[in-house]
Amino acid sequence: MKVQRKRNRLQHFDYEGSYAYFLTLCCYDNGNYFTNRNTVFTILDSLNRISSEMNCSIIAYCFMPDHLHLLTSGDEKTNLIKFIKTFKQITGYNFKKTTGRKLWQKSFHDHVVRKEENLNSIAEYIFNNPVRNGLVADYEDYPFLGPK
């Protein structure tokens, strides 16, 4: 019996234009790949470069051991699906080339931020993820979040 995957994207929304998004990208097989400083900063460099090229602003990020949280916004030229596809493709290829392992799980989780939602509250939620998971007592002690 074939299992049908749940649709992750909103059916009548094109993910283009001036919107903010709260995203979660999970590592393949829940791998703890984001504990290595070099891995995280290599991927962060790619994130910053690709987001700039594709008209996305990174408002907040947090690399947890097995996933990445992003709060991003775009302008009228931004296509979120194309941005994430490019980011995952480039970073996944480079990661596999150096480690021999897959980096990313298929797809990603998204939340389109509504106008009435507070971006600072969402960023604070992202920053406190390492605290909630017992990795640090104060998010300012966690090395893999920002921008700082």
Side-chain angles (χ1 to χ4, degrees):
M1 174 161 64
K2 185 177 178 181
V3 177
Q4 190 162 359
R5 281 180 57 115
K6 180 182 166 240
R7 184 178 172 94
N8 286 352
R9 304 288 82 76
L10 293 172
Q11 192 168 6
H12 300 291
F13 185 73
D14 63 8
Y15 293 87
E16 294 180 5
S18 300
Y19 296 97
Y21 304 94
F22 174 26
L23 309 171
T24 303
L25 290 73
C26 297
C27 292
Y28 185 75
D29 277 350
N30 298 316
N32 288 322
Y33 301 140
F34 300 143
T35 56
N36 179 291
R37 183 174 292 277
N38 289 336
T39 299
V40 170
F41 290 124
T42 298
I43 292 171
L44 180 58
D45 285 344
S46 293
L47 176 66
N48 287 327
R49 181 180 50 77
I50 294 164
S51 65
S52 176
E53 291 170 0
M54 301 190 83
N55 303 308
C56 284
S57 297
I58 304 301
I59 300 166
Y61 67 84
C62 181
F63 286 85
M64 294 297 289
D66 64 349
H67 63 277
L68 168 62
H69 286 298
L70 284 175
L71 179 59
T72 185
S73 66
D75 65 19
E76 63 280 346
K77 300 177 198 165
T78 302
N79 180 316
L80 179 78
I81 302 300
K82 188 174 179 181
F83 163 61
I84 295 298
K85 181 179 180 181
T86 301
F87 170 69
K88 286 177 68 175
Q89 189 173 45
I90 289 170
T91 55
Y93 174 81
N94 291 333
F95 185 80
K96 186 160 190 168
K97 193 166 63 170
T98 57
T99 67
R101 297 179 298 206
K102 287 185 179 182
L103 176 58
W104 298 114
Q105 177 178 300
K106 284 186 181 197
S107 197
F108 59 94
H109 303 281
D110 69 78
H111 170 72
V112 182
V113 178
R114 294 174 193 87
K115 299 279 186 221
E116 66 271 10
E117 291 181 280
N118 185 312
L119 291 178
N120 289 331
S121 296
I122 297 170
E124 188 175 313
Y125 175 85
I126 290 171
F127 292 155
N128 278 301
N129 206 325
V131 175
R132 284 189 303 278
N133 282 274
L135 299 175
V136 292
D138 184 338
Y139 76 81
E140 291 191 13
D141 296 330
Y142 194 68
F144 305 137
L145 57 79
K148 289 186 178 183

